[in-house]
C-alpha cells in the first residue's frame, strides 16, 4: 500500500477519534447521573443522593466558564461545563420536588423573600429581602430558590471577573479554584468511609466507573495541552478515586470493628 493511500485512511480515522474523544469529554461527566436520576424518579426517594454534590459541581463549572473568558481553552471543556450545569439543575429540581412532597413539616424555607402565601405560618411576610438561614442553606423548599442562589453567585463572580480580567494572577487563580473544587468532590466520601470504617452502599464497579472516567479526563487534559490547572487537579481527582477504590476493597475483604452511625446510601460522590 502506497504512503499516500495510507494517509488517506489515517486522516479521517484520526479525525473520527478526535470527535469521539471530544464527545466523550462533553457528555461523559453526566453519564453516571442518568441512572441516578432515573432511580430517584422511579423510587420517589432522593435520600441516597446529596444535593451538595450539585452545589459543588455548579460552583466548579460556573468558575470554569468564567475562567474561559480569561484563558480560551478548548471548546469541548466549555461545553462540558454547560452540560454539567444543566444536569445538576435538573437533579436539583427532581430532588427538591420529591423531598418536599415527602416532608411532614410543610414550613417553607427560602433563599429569597419569604412566601406570604405560606399556609402554615399565617404571619405577615418578613420585611427583609432574604429569608436566609445558614442552618437551612441549600435545603430550600422551592427549586426557584436554588436558581436564584446560582444566579446570584454567577452575577457576583462574573462582575468580579470582569473587573479583574486583565490580571494574570486572578485569571490563573480562578482556573485553579474551578478545577480544584471539582477535584475535591470525592474527599468527603473518602472521609465518610474512613470515619464509618465501612463502604456500605458502594460497589467496586461504581468506583471503577469514577476512576476510569477521571483517568480519561486527565489524559485528555494532558494530550490536548489544557491549562496546567486541569491536568494537576485531574491527577489529584484520580488519586482520590484510587484511595476510595482501596477503601472499598479493604473494608469489604477486611471488615473493621462496627462503628455506630446513621445509614446513608452512598450512591455517588457525596458530601
Amino acid at each position: 500500500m502506497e504512503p499516500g493511500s495510507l494517509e488517506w485512511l489515517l486522516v479521517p480515522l484520526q479525525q473520527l477519534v478526535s470527535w469521539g474523544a471530544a464527545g466523550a469529554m462533553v457528555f461523559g461527566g453526566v453519564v453516571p447521573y442518568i441512572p441516578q436520576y432515573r432511580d430517584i424518579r422511579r423510587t420517589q426517594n432522593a435520600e441516597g443522593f446529596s444535593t451538595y454534590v450539585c452545589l459543588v459541581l455548579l460552583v466548579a463549572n460556573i468558575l470554569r466558564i468564567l475562567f474561559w473568558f480569561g484563558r480560551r481553552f478548548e471548546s469541548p471543556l466549555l461545553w462540558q461545563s454547560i452540560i454539567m450545569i444543566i444536569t445538576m439543575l435538573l437533579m436539583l429540581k427532581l430532588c427538591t420536588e420529591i423531598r418536599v412532597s415527602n416532608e411532614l413539616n410543610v414550613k417553607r424555607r427560602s433563599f429569597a423573600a419569604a412566601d406570604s402565601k405560606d399556609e402554615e405560618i399565617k404571619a405577615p411576610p418578613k420585611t427583609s429581602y432574604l429569608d436566609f438561614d445558614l442552618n437551612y442553606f441549600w435545603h430550600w423548599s422551592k427549586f426557584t430558590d436554588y436558581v436564584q442562589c446560582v444566579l446570584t453567585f454567577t452575577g457576583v463572580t462574573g462582575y468580579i471577573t470582569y473587573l479583574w480580567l486583565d490580571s494574570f494572577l486572578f485569571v490563573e487563580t480562578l482556573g485553579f479554584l474551578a478545577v480544584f473544587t471539582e477535584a475535591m468532590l470525592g474527599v468527603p466520601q473518602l472521609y465518610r468511609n474512613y470515619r464509618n470504617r465501612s463502604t456500605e452502599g458502594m460497589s467496586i464497579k461504581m468506583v471503577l466507573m469514577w476512576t476510569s472516567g477521571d483517568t480519561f479526563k486527565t489524559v485528555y487534559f494532558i494530550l490536548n495541552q489544557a491549562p496546567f490547572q486541569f491536568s494537576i487537579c485531574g491527577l489529584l481527582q484520580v488519586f482520590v478515586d484510587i484511595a476510595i477504590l482501596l477503601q472499598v476493597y479493604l473494608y469489604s475483604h477486611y471488615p473493621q470493628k462496627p462503628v455506630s452511625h446513621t445509614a446513608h446510601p452512598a450512591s455517588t460522590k457525596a458530601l
Side-chain angles (χ1 to χ4, degrees):
M1 185 176 292
E2 297 181 0
S5 61
L6 184 61
E7 184 179 351
W8 179 81
L9 290 173
L10 287 177
V11 171
L13 181 61
Q14 290 174 347
Q15 189 66 45
L16 186 62
V17 171
S18 177
W19 287 344
M25 195 67 214
V26 172
F27 297 102
V30 305
V31 168
Y33 296 97
I34 295 175
Q36 184 83 54
Y37 182 93
R38 295 177 63 183
D39 186 58
I40 292 173
R41 193 177 186 87
R42 177 180 56 83
T43 62
Q44 292 295 295
N45 185 347
E47 291 299 321
F49 179 79
S50 172
T51 54
Y52 284 104
V53 171
C54 301
L55 173 61
V56 172
L57 289 177
L58 284 170
V59 169
N61 286 281
I62 289 170
L63 293 180
R64 186 193 288 189
I65 291 173
L66 294 176
F67 177 52
W68 182 84
F69 288 98
R71 187 170 177 183
R72 302 298 176 91
F73 48 81
E74 278 201 327
S75 56
L77 300 181
L78 177 65
W79 280 106
Q80 180 198 40
S81 292
I82 295 172
I83 297 297
M84 182 61 76
I85 288 173
I86 294 172
T87 302
M88 290 301 101
L89 289 175
L90 289 173
M91 291 292 294
L92 266 178
K93 186 175 187 298
L94 177 64
C95 291
T96 303
E97 290 174 350
I98 291 177
R99 176 172 53 80
V100 172
S101 66
N102 292 337
E103 280 183 348
L104 296 178
N105 181 11
V106 296
K107 184 175 182 178
R108 296 189 185 279
R109 296 290 177 179
S110 60
F111 169 77
D115 190 353
S116 60
K117 296 181 180 180
D118 193 322
E119 296 180 358
E120 183 203 38
I121 300 177
K122 299 290 184 181
K126 295 182 178 180
T127 55
S128 61
Y129 178 70
L130 294 182
D131 180 25
F132 188 82
D133 185 344
L134 279 177
N135 294 324
Y136 293 94
F137 177 77
W138 211 250
H139 196 71
W140 300 309
S141 304
K142 290 184 178 180
F143 173 65
T144 52
D145 291 299
Y146 294 95
V147 174
Q148 289 170 359
C149 181
V150 170
L151 290 177
T152 300
F153 175 78
T154 304
V156 171
T157 53
Y159 180 67
I160 295 173
T161 301
Y162 174 75
L163 294 178
W164 291 86
L165 199 57
D166 294 332
S167 170
F168 174 81
L169 179 61
F170 174 83
V171 171
E172 294 302 313
T173 302
L174 181 67
F176 176 77
L177 288 176
V179 290
F180 182 75
T181 302
E182 183 176 355
M184 291 294 98
L185 187 62
V187 172
Q189 184 70 64
L190 183 71
Y191 174 72
R192 174 186 290 171
N193 295 343
Y194 172 77
R195 182 188 62 191
N196 295 336
R197 299 293 193 274
S198 170
T199 54
E200 183 181 359
M202 303 187 71
S203 69
I204 293 286
K205 291 182 179 179
M206 180 179 62
V207 184
L208 281 174
M209 185 182 296
W210 294 349
T211 309
S212 58
D214 291 336
T215 301
F216 168 80
K217 182 171 63 176
T218 303
V219 171
Y220 182 92
F221 292 156
I222 296 172
L223 293 180
N224 288 275
Q225 298 181 340
F228 75 96
Q229 296 97 328
F230 287 77
S231 300
I232 293 173
C233 293
L235 289 171
L236 178 60
Q237 198 166 8
V238 171
F239 289 147
V240 172
D241 291 339
I242 292 174
I244 294 176
L245 188 64
L246 288 174
Q247 284 182 325
V248 174
Y249 174 80
L250 290 173
Y251 293 150
S252 59
H253 287 76
Y254 306 98
Q256 306 293 306
K257 183 179 179 180
V259 177
S260 177
H261 63 277
T262 304
H264 186 96
S267 52
T268 187
K269 291 182 182 179
L271 294 176

